[in-house]
Amino acid sequence: MDQQQATISPTIDGILAHNRAFVERRAYERYATDKYPDKKLAIVSCMDTRLTELLSAALGLKNGDAKIIKVAGAEVAHPFGSVMRSLLIAICELGVEDIMIVAHTNCGAQHMSGKEMVANMERLGVSAERICGIDFDRWLAGFGDTEEAVRRSVDMVRNHPVMPPHVRVGGYVMDSDTGELTAVR
Ligand code: ZN
């Protein structure tokens, strides 16, 4: 790769510098594994930065243990969307048998307002003509009740028309501070 490329941003430049040093000192060796999840487990969780390390630490997972799909609100929002597609790949190609949907407390995606997000888009330079004609208010709206959203996602996965019958699916909410899991029934 061309290491003389123009500056992208101070943040990304810093990350690229770290990455070169990481590879040079062979720091990757302790993470060696293959593509098959050792625990035959897939997790759908939130992109929230509080969970970046907390999720794996609180669940006792190491590199190679589980397929982890991160999406705002830990929602499986569409039966033929990318989250469901990822789960089916994990099951049918990579041997996953257990699925955990792990939402978390005080999720940023909970109380989102589609109208507010559209206003933010305009403030960030997106022209109003580009925004009209799409039902952003519905698409970008928050899910309100966290436990209810987890139940919906669990139901969608469990009752998906092409879900193999041996797959077990559980729903949970993680405390964003302590990592404590509470099962959603
Ligand atoms: Zn969240």
Side-chain angles (χ1 to χ4, degrees), residues 46-48 50 72-74 104 106-109:
C46 185
M47 66 180 189
D48 196 293
R50 286 169 290 185
H104 65 108
N106 302 315
C107 180

